[in-house]
Amino acid sequence: MTVGVTLGERFDPARLDWPETNCYLDLWIELLLAWGLDPGPVLGFAASTQFEGDQFTFGRPSHDDLARLHGVSVHELTVYRPLLDHIAAQQAQGATVLAEVDAYHLPDTYGITYGAQHAKTTMAVLHHDPAAGRLDYIHNRARGTLAGADLPGALSGGAVLPPYVELARRGCPVLHGPALAAAARDALAVRLRRRPPGNQVSAFRTSLVRDGVRLAAGGTAGFHPYAFATYRMLGVTFQTLGQLTGWLQDAGDAGLDGVIEACRAGSSGAKAEQFRAARAVARGRAPEPGEPLDRAEAAWDAAFQGLAARYA
């Protein structure tokens, strides 16, 4: 196997256009790394990204891929007791609990939502110590500790309905070497065959022109959630595909330089376009598609044509 980039470099936030993707994807990247597993092979889900009319697909690793490639089974956990009771029961079984919580109480979000804004997000429980009244967790790309009022606050969030909770259990067979690479290729091929037709950046361009006046009227407060669902999810799609393609190249698949470069161009184009749009909205103007979006649009065709020719 030839190694073009190390595992740490591929997922090093300092080297990425989008150091934070979304809470679920970031959590799984960090959790797999903590378990000594490479997130690269399970990133094929990005190949089926679609512009859904008002947002790009929220990227998340497939539970089937996690099970098949890395031996991790993921199931929904029925919450019928206090969540800490379930966490204790699953911890005793060696399982990891992934729970929707209130970011208002997550210390790692200090300066963003901690103590300032209620927001739904997902964390993974690393360890709960009832005697000490503390819980160690992974959230996004950070590790943190809940204690004091933050512990019950994060887990309940004042919600009337119980949160959505999953449990992740290791123990199934784990693939390595050529078998892992072959399974990752198969998973990517399935996504490529199921991908939506047409250039999804072109579809987004049409929507952006339609929604420009509304975005200008909504100001920066309304633009931020829109940017997360559109520009960031587009850029994350390119970045994730680039990470997967780089992993496949390191696993021995030659001739992927063009796809990797297209993914870089698409990722950086989406980021630059987001900055352009943010400046326009801050000045009360409707954002209009610019050269960076042109670059991302061309990169979409180049990346997917290259991947389809090789794997689909």
Side-chain angles (χ1 to χ4, degrees):
M1 177 186 298
T2 59
V3 180
V5 63
T6 68
L7 173 61
E9 290 173 329
R10 184 172 293 119
F11 295 97
D12 179 2
R15 300 169 64 96
L16 302 175
D17 288 327
W18 307 92
E20 291 188 353
T21 60
N22 64 61
C23 63
Y24 198 77
L25 176 54
D26 284 342
L27 182 153
W28 269 110
I29 289 173
E30 293 304 315
L31 195 54
L32 291 171
L33 289 172
W35 288 338
L37 299 170
D38 192 330
V42 301
L43 301 181
F45 64 87
S48 56
T49 296
Q50 180 171 351
F51 183 66
E52 314 280 359
D54 58 356
Q55 60 196 277
F56 282 94
T57 305
F58 187 91
R60 51 195 301 158
S62 158
H63 292 173
D64 288 341
D65 290 350
L66 287 167
R68 182 184 177 199
L69 279 67
H70 283 327
V72 180
S73 61
V74 184
H75 310 279
E76 182 176 354
L77 180 65
T78 300
V79 179
Y80 62 91
R81 299 162 60 192
L83 184 51
L84 280 176
D85 290 351
H86 290 292
I87 289 173
Q90 295 304 322
Q91 184 169 283
Q93 297 293 319
T96 298
V97 170
L98 285 66
E100 283 188 346
V101 296
D102 186 353
Y104 182 94
H105 296 280
L106 293 186
D108 70 280
T109 67
Y110 182 82
I112 305 174
T113 56
Y114 183 63
Q117 181 181 349
H118 294 282
K120 181 185 71 173
T121 191
T122 302
M123 74 172 189
V125 178
L126 293 176
H127 180 72
H128 174 228
D129 185 342
R134 56 181 286 154
L135 182 149
D136 298 324
Y137 67 88
I138 290 178
H139 173 248
N140 287 339
R141 294 188 178 274
R143 298 192 183 197
T145 298
L146 288 172
D150 285 331
L151 180 50
L155 298 184
S156 68
V160 176
L161 298 176
Y164 180 74
V165 181
E166 295 175 327
L167 65 91
R169 184 181 295 112
R170 301 175 66 190
C172 300
V174 179
L175 299 180
H176 299 283
L180 178 59
R185 293 184 196 103
D186 289 345
L188 173 59
V190 169
R191 302 306 191 289
L192 288 169
R193 289 194 293 269
R194 294 176 180 172
R195 74 189 188 280
N199 187 311
Q200 299 304 297
V201 183
S202 302
F204 171 52
R205 177 190 294 274
T206 301
S207 170
L208 180 61
V209 172
R210 179 194 67 208
D211 294 337
V213 174
R214 176 183 60 80
L215 290 170
T220 55
F223 178 75
H224 289 313
Y226 173 86
F228 175 89
T230 55
Y231 297 108
R232 184 192 289 193
M233 290 303 99
L234 172 60
V236 166
T237 294
F238 279 116
Q239 178 173 285
T240 304
L241 279 176
Q243 290 168 321
L244 169 63
T245 307
W247 184 89
L248 288 168
Q249 183 168 260
D250 290 348
D253 291 7
L256 295 174
D257 288 344
V259 173
I260 293 172
E261 183 54 41
C263 289
R264 290 196 189 104
S267 174
S268 63
K271 186 173 185 176
E273 189 70 14
Q274 176 179 275
F275 289 150
R276 287 185 70 260
R279 289 194 294 269
V281 170
R283 295 166 182 163
R285 301 203 308 261
E288 298 179 354
E291 184 277 332
L293 193 65
D294 297 341
R295 199 187 328 148
E297 192 170 17
W300 186 278
D301 286 336
F304 277 92
Q305 287 170 8
L307 287 171
R310 182 66 178 270
Y311 296 105

